[in-house]
Amino acid sequence: MTAPAPTSENATERTPFRVLICDEMNPGNLDHEGFQIDYQGNMDRAETLRRLPEYDALITRSRTKVDRELIDAAGPRLKVIGRGGVGVDNIDLEYASLRGLLILNAPESNNVSAAELAVMHLMAAARGLTRSDRNTRAGTWDRKFLGLELKDKTLGIVGLGRIGSIVADRAQGLRLKVVAYDPYVPESKFERLGIERTETLEDLLRRVDFLTVHTPLTEETSGMIGADELALLKKDAIVVNAARGGIVNEQALVNALNSGHLFAAGVDVFVEEPPTAEHIFLQAPNLGITAHLGANTREAQERVGAEIVSRVLDALKGDVSKGAVNAPALDAKTLEALGGYLTLGEKLGRIQAQLLPGAHEVEVTFRGEFPVDPSPVVTAVLVGYLSGSTDETPNMINARALARERGIDVAIREEQDSPDYQTEVIVKILSHNADKDRVRTVGGTVFGKSPRLTRLRDYRVELEPEGYILIASNQDKPGAVAKLSNLLGTWGVNIAGMALGRAEKGGQALFTLTLDDNLTPEQLQAIRALDVIESAFLVRV
């Protein structure tokens, strides 16, 4: 999507962009050259519908429902909708995108507030604040309760995005030792923050006295801290979840508190909000609860208003790199020519994110003659690579900015010929670690409109990148595929497709299987234990 640009060579002579703010917020300075910003908090719907056709942009909070009726009433002049805060549940995102409207939000505005709330929960849990408050109000003056000091203890952070990084900074100020687990963040960020990195979640859990989670809620992170993970923590550990409901399994957390394994816990989020009167958290011992207040400070609310206004004005001037929620509308010619390659690029990026997270460099090579400039495919690769690993949802507008923020260098190469296909996209990921550099390479092409996986490392394969893909390496000897297939059959896992590749006869070989179903960690470990298998990885496309 291209934001509107001034139509006159002399910007001072053009008609100002008009922006309507129809919900209550603190928008900060409204005097900007080239813009007329009208602020009317709590504007009623009928008035909004009547006046909206006069504006280039609309800014709301959660009160105003930006549905089809409102979007249709806006007419052709409206180009941008800004939502103060994180969520966009009040906006019909699909219909707005269909109508070519750019949707923006300001999710970073509450980062400090959310981080400070997590630290507050940690401190309150360590000193029994909730417990003592409840007992004192009930008439019990309990001065025998012994809390815990934070100084010289170890805090484990799962997810070192913007909020996790702020928590780490605050924790170091409290003289805590900080270790973190985030496979999607490069080593350079850990070094810059002075934080020790653990290679696995299990390593982190076994070492820490306190645990806090700061990851997006995805299929990968949902329930990632369950009964088994809590059992790995030291006795009398503290757990804090001020990120998303469901990252820490609710029942498992209550069980660990009831058993006495955990000293205390603090939560700001629930799976279902608001909770019912019978929710298990409400009767759990030593559990501090807040009502999803991460963003609720005066300062955060002031920042969110000023930030969303700034982003809307930037978008109207042509800069759509910050806060974009929906993807841009490519012109029909580009979409027709590159549609299959855009899908391919996102799939290759998603595969690489699972094979080698925490990249420092992404190199995309285009081989052959493409019908149009293939550079949008690079952005699609970054969308796939960053999906599920950032505080913001990556899309074709913000993916390059998010990559820069994570310290990922992006390189593009072009080769005139492709030895095996008319066109081919090769994605190479490089990660620089203290012990050694690691590289992963995948490639693909498009048949008609259908993406195909053509390369894994130095091996040629040909496979439709769909569902679950099991990538296994072995010595090129008879029986490997049969043994693996038989094992999958005993689990009732169906093989939808297969591709074989080898470097040379009798040497290293690689085969890939597309599966209809996911595999459990135990099943994947059983595959790796087969005497004919050297390595095995499962990726979801």
Side-chain angles (χ1 to χ4, degrees), residues 296-521:
N296 288 24
T297 62
R298 294 177 182 177
E299 294 83 356
Q301 296 310 302
E302 290 175 359
R303 281 194 300 268
V304 74
E307 184 66 28
I308 194 60
V309 169
S310 174
R311 291 184 175 188
V312 166
L313 302 192
D314 285 345
L316 289 172
K317 290 185 292 186
D319 180 2
V320 297
S321 63
K322 294 180 180 178
V325 175
N326 58 342
L330 298 174
D331 63 86
K333 179 181 177 181
T334 301
L335 192 58
E336 174 67 22
L338 291 181
Y341 290 99
L342 295 172
T343 303
L344 171 68
E346 188 169 343
K347 289 177 179 288
L348 294 179
R350 193 174 294 121
I351 290 171
Q352 287 283 43
Q354 296 167 78
L355 294 178
L356 186 56
H360 292 82
E361 298 178 36
V362 174
E363 179 185 284
V364 181
T365 301
F366 296 107
R367 291 179 172 176
E369 294 293 331
F370 286 78
V372 296
D373 177 13
S375 58
V377 178
V378 178
T379 308
V381 170
L382 295 175
V383 170
Y385 189 79
L386 296 171
S387 292
S389 66
T390 65
D391 297 334
E392 294 185 55
T393 301
N395 56 50
M396 294 291 287
I397 294 175
N398 63 13
R400 288 184 181 247
L402 291 175
R404 286 194 298 272
E405 184 181 83
R406 290 203 161 225
I408 299 175
D409 294 326
V410 179
I412 304 174
R413 298 180 57 210
E414 295 186 10
E415 297 178 5
Q416 188 171 4
D417 299 317
S418 177
D420 301 298
Y421 301 93
Q422 183 176 354
T423 57
E424 193 173 16
V425 180
I426 308 296
V427 178
K428 181 184 292 186
I429 302 292
L430 300 92
S431 177
H432 309 304
N433 294 317
D435 50 349
K436 64 176 181 178
D437 291 346
R438 301 172 66 193
V439 179
R440 293 290 183 271
T441 304
V442 299
T445 189
V446 173
F447 295 157
K449 298 290 184 181
S450 179
R452 288 290 188 276
L453 194 64
T454 60
R455 175 187 293 272
L456 283 167
R457 293 190 295 185
D458 295 325
Y459 301 96
R460 281 294 185 190
V461 298
E462 189 171 304
L463 197 70
E464 187 174 359
E466 293 291 344
Y468 299 94
I469 301 179
L470 179 63
I471 304 169
S473 63
N474 64 294
Q475 288 297 310
D476 184 26
K477 296 179 181 179
V481 176
K483 281 191 176 182
L484 178 53
S485 299
N486 288 337
L487 184 58
L488 292 172
T490 63
W491 297 329
V493 176
N494 185 55
I495 299 174
M498 177 184 299
L500 306 175
R502 64 183 181 183
E504 60 184 19
K505 185 176 180 180
Q508 187 79 15
L510 179 140
F511 61 94
T512 56
L513 306 175
T514 53
L515 309 178
D516 287 340
D517 304 297
N518 195 5
L519 297 176
T520 67

Side-chain angles (χ1 to χ4, degrees), residues 110 117 242-245 267-270 273 289-296:
N110 67 353
L117 182 67
R244 293 290 185 272
V267 296
D268 184 48
V269 287
F270 295 71
E273 296 180 352
I289 298 172
T290 47
H292 206 148
L293 299 179
N296 288 24

Side-chain angles (χ1 to χ4, degrees), residues 227-249:
D228 292 341
E229 288 75 22
L230 293 173
L232 294 175
L233 292 169
K234 299 176 182 177
K235 187 170 187 318
D236 287 337
I238 291 174
V239 174
V240 173
N241 181 12
R244 293 290 185 272
I247 295 174
V248 178
N249 181 278

Side-chain angles (χ1 to χ4, degrees), residues 33 80 189 394 469 486 523:
E33 184 178 355
V80 180
K189 183 171 185 178
I469 301 179
N486 288 337
Q523 288 172 331

Side-chain angles (χ1 to χ4, degrees), residues 38-50:
D38 296 331
Y39 173 59
Q40 186 172 334
N42 290 326
M43 179 182 286
D44 67 58
R45 186 172 180 84
E47 183 72 359
T48 304
L49 291 170
R50 185 183 69 80

Side-chain angles (χ1 to χ4, degrees), residues 55-284:
Y55 291 90
D56 301 284
L58 173 70
I59 296 177
T60 77
R61 290 301 301 266
S62 59
R63 184 187 68 92
T64 298
K65 300 300 180 185
V66 185
D67 52 17
R68 290 193 175 210
E69 180 189 31
L70 188 142
I71 292 171
D72 287 338
R77 181 167 178 172
L78 189 71
K79 299 295 187 297
V80 180
I81 297 174
R83 162 65 162 87
V86 178
V88 289
D89 294 344
N90 59 312
I91 300 174
D92 188 333
L93 194 59
E94 182 176 352
Y95 190 64
S97 299
L98 184 64
R99 290 291 302 273
L101 296 173
L102 176 66
I103 310 300
L104 306 172
N105 67 353
E108 306 95 334
S109 302
N110 67 353
N111 286 347
V112 169
S113 297
E116 289 183 352
L117 182 67
V119 175
M120 181 279 292
H121 268 294
L122 174 60
M123 298 179 73
R127 297 308 302 270
L129 185 66
T130 300
R131 177 184 185 278
S132 184
D133 178 80
R134 184 179 60 250
N135 287 344
T136 303
R137 291 176 185 275
T140 301
W141 187 252
D142 180 11
R143 294 201 60 213
K144 295 182 179 180
F145 174 78
L146 296 178
L148 302 175
E149 287 189 351
L150 304 186
K151 180 178 176 290
D152 296 331
K153 301 292 198 322
T154 300
L155 173 66
I157 299 176
V158 179
L160 202 59
R162 294 188 182 102
I163 296 174
S165 299
I166 297 172
V167 170
D169 175 72
R170 303 299 190 268
Q172 289 169 322
L174 293 169
R175 304 285 298 276
L176 280 156
K177 179 180 179 181
V178 181
V179 298
Y181 169 73
D182 192 331
Y184 300 101
V185 171
E187 185 69 33
S188 57
K189 183 171 185 178
F190 285 82
E191 294 172 355
R192 186 171 69 252
L193 295 174
I195 297 171
E196 184 180 348
R197 178 178 202 155
T198 64
E199 293 302 319
T200 67
L201 177 61
E202 181 177 332
D203 289 342
L204 180 138
L205 295 173
R206 292 184 183 279
R207 295 180 51 189
V208 303
D209 302 289
F210 312 130
L211 175 71
T212 181
V213 295
H214 299 283
T215 70
L217 181 62
T218 65
E219 182 176 338
E220 178 186 3
T221 63
S222 178
M224 73 180 303
I225 306 297
D228 292 341
E229 288 75 22
L230 293 173
L232 294 175
L233 292 169
K234 299 176 182 177
K235 187 170 187 318
D236 287 337
I238 291 174
V239 174
V240 173
N241 181 12
R244 293 290 185 272
I247 295 174
V248 178
N249 181 278
E250 292 182 341
Q251 186 63 62
L253 181 64
V254 171
N255 291 345
L257 289 167
N258 284 329
S259 70
H261 180 65
L262 293 181
F263 182 81
V267 296
D268 184 48
V269 287
F270 295 71
V271 173
E272 298 291 339
E273 296 180 352
T276 65
E278 296 76 31
H279 195 282
I280 56 176
F281 278 176
L282 303 184
Q283 301 302 321

